[in-house]
Amino acid sequence: MKPKLVRRKDRVTDALHAARAVVEEGIVPGGGVALLYATKELEKISKANEGEKIGVQITKNALKVGPLMTIASNAGIDGSIIIRKLTEREDLSLGYDAAKKVYVDMIKAGTIDPVKLI
């Protein structure tokens, strides 16, 4: 098969897998914000010892810094400012559209991820 056809077939296969994942488990706001907001839930976990506290902190940092910071950095934006603004708000669908450089409701904007992906 030609490389162009292989890439097209791979994209169709990826889309089918994503659609199946959505049907199975639903969606969350995309753009890394679901992971950012998940850090709020980590704060509720009881930590029995110092090792668990460190583990939770490492996980929180990875969830914050991961996708959202990468998206912001690729758009030439300071991701720490975006993270601060998003974590100050209560709207768990709010995210940052790096292409348009505006804060939007990610679900209404169509920026979503399958829960299974997260």
Side-chain angles (χ1 to χ4, degrees), residues 8 15 21 31 42 46 56 59 63 67 69 77 85 89 95 101 104-105:
R8 183 177 288 171
L42 288 174
S46 63
V56 167
T59 303
L63 292 175
M69 288 292 277
I77 302 162
K85 286 186 179 184
R89 305 244 165 55
K101 301 192 185 315
V104 298
D105 181 310

Side-chain angles (χ1 to χ4, degrees), residues 19-93:
R20 286 185 187 118
V22 166
V23 169
E24 288 176 21
E25 298 185 23
I27 61 169
V28 293
V33 297
L35 296 173
L36 173 67
Y37 295 137
T39 62
K40 291 181 180 183
E41 294 302 312
L42 288 174
E43 293 169 6
K44 298 175 185 175
I45 294 175
S46 63
K47 300 150 214 69
N49 59 48
E50 192 62 29
E52 289 180 6
K53 287 179 186 175
I54 292 170
V56 167
Q57 189 59 48
I58 290 169
T59 303
K60 283 173 60 175
N61 291 344
L63 292 175
K64 283 183 178 180
V65 173
L68 194 56
M69 288 292 277
T70 301
I71 291 167
S73 175
N74 288 343
I77 302 162
D78 183 357
S80 62
I81 294 170
I82 294 168
I83 288 172
R84 188 173 349 99
K85 286 186 179 184
L86 292 176
T87 53
E88 290 172 353
R89 305 244 165 55
E90 295 296 319
D91 182 359
L92 299 181
S93 292

Side-chain angles (χ1 to χ4, degrees), residues 28-34 68 71 93-96 106-107 110-113 118:
V28 293
V33 297
L68 194 56
I71 291 167
S93 292
L94 186 67
Y96 188 76
M106 299 301 269
I107 293 176
T111 305
I112 57 173
D113 287 325
I118 302 299

